[in-house]
Amino acid sequence: MNCILLPAANFLHDRAHIHALPQIDHVNNVLAAKVGDTLKIGQLGGYLGTAVIDDMTSDRIQLRDVQLSIAPPAKLDLTVILALPRPKVLRRLIMDMTALGVRDIILINSYRTQKSYWQSPMLKRLDEFVLEGLQQGVDTIAPRISLRKRFKPFVEDELPRLVSKGAIVAHPYTSQSLTQYLQKQDLQKPPALTMPNLVCIGAEGGWIDYEIELLAAQGCEAVHVGPRILRTEAAVNVLLGQWLL
């Protein structure tokens, strides 16, 4: 946690309190903070700032001198469409995409998404994973997350409305690299490079040809990020890192 985020209900004037046990454990055992120390905090959906520890017990930390005056970082103008991955990978992906500042995340069904993934209890913990990502990235604004269990109707009926600045789909077997795609965009729309506002990333095993064709019909250009085939979580970070440059 690079900051501790609290809901609005935990604030009253210039005071606040921490009662979530993972946050208390972090303050005690990672920060080794004591009464009188200053913490970096933020209000979920609001501003970032600092507060001073006023009192500490095993299940509650009282804060005083709360000052919230720093605006959270701007979100990336980006929607990520992600084929629902294995449950144990989902937590890391949601955390990473949140920390990187993705604005919208759409979890979608794909041919290689097992049906059991949609029944995973991990899907009920998305808010928890988002909070971890926000505290890592020092942000207060959660991404919008939506679930789509029907691939074809989503791609044909909803996807076209989401694309405003171009779209790419990660596919290791295409001939066009991400660098080539971006260079092409730069030549078409000088002088400033126009980054696409939508990226589609498959689960382990990637997209099948039918899915690639359906996405391409809606304007999504297939790109690769090199000769190596990456795990989903590695591909997410390699691709999204381009928006941070």
Side-chain angles (χ1 to χ4, degrees):
M1 298 180 193
N2 292 314
C3 70
I4 294 175
L5 297 185
L6 304 171
N10 287 34
F11 292 86
L12 182 62
H13 303 303
D14 67 340
R15 303 185 71 84
H17 66 271
I18 304 170
H19 58 72
L21 294 182
Q23 293 176 325
I24 292 173
D25 179 70
H26 182 79
V27 172
N28 287 325
N29 299 317
V30 178
L31 300 179
K34 298 178 175 57
V35 172
D37 288 348
T38 298
L39 299 178
K40 293 181 179 179
I41 69 166
Q43 180 178 310
L44 281 168
Y47 280 70
L48 296 156
T50 60
V52 177
I53 299 176
D54 191 47
D55 185 54
M56 305 176 73
T57 64
S58 61
D59 60 358
R60 189 180 181 92
I61 296 176
Q62 194 68 39
L63 305 173
R64 59 176 171 82
D65 299 335
V66 173
Q67 298 183 30
L68 301 176
S69 59
I70 302 172
K75 282 282 184 280
L76 300 178
D77 181 18
L78 181 63
T79 296
V80 173
I81 296 174
L82 176 70
L84 186 66
R86 289 175 295 135
K88 69 177 184 179
V89 176
L90 181 62
R91 173 178 175 267
R92 296 195 297 269
L93 287 171
I94 294 297
M95 286 176 55
D96 286 348
M97 289 189 287
T98 300
L100 288 167
V102 174
R103 184 191 56 209
D104 291 281
I105 301 170
I106 299 173
L107 300 174
I108 194 169
N109 195 41
S110 73
Y111 180 82
R112 292 193 169 103
T113 296
Q114 295 185 22
K115 292 182 179 179
S116 61
Y117 295 176
W118 290 101
Q119 280 73 53
S120 170
M122 299 292 273
L123 285 173
K124 298 180 180 179
R125 299 175 59 192
L126 294 180
D127 288 345
E128 175 188 331
F129 307 150
V130 166
L131 178 62
E132 292 182 77
L134 291 174
Q135 292 181 141
Q136 171 67 37
V138 193
D139 192 1
T140 67
I141 308 299
R144 295 185 291 260
I145 302 179
S146 55
L147 280 62
R148 296 292 186 272
K149 293 184 179 181
R150 301 177 64 202
F151 181 85
K152 187 173 185 288
F154 169 78
V155 172
E156 292 183 337
D157 301 335
E158 297 186 55
L159 181 58
R161 298 195 299 269
L162 301 177
V163 180
S164 61
K165 298 179 182 178
I168 58 174
V169 51
H171 187 50
Y173 304 112
T174 189
S175 61
Q176 178 178 224
S177 70
L178 176 60
T179 299
Q180 290 171 329
Y181 170 85
L182 294 176
Q183 289 174 342
K184 181 174 66 177
Q185 294 296 104
D186 196 21
L187 290 173
Q188 290 174 348
K189 301 177 181 179
L193 177 65
T194 300
M195 297 294 288
N197 74 302
L198 187 142
V199 57
C200 306
I201 303 171
E204 298 297 333
W207 307 101
I208 63 172
D209 290 343
Y210 169 77
E211 293 167 336
I212 292 292
E213 292 169 4
L214 206 60
L215 291 166
Q218 304 302 330
C220 298
E221 291 196 43
V223 302
H224 68 77
V225 292
R228 302 178 186 275
I229 298 177
L230 305 176
R231 291 182 179 273
T232 303
E233 53 264 46
V236 165
N237 286 301
V238 169
L239 281 164
L240 301 192
Q242 301 299 315
W243 276 259
L244 302 177
L245 299 177

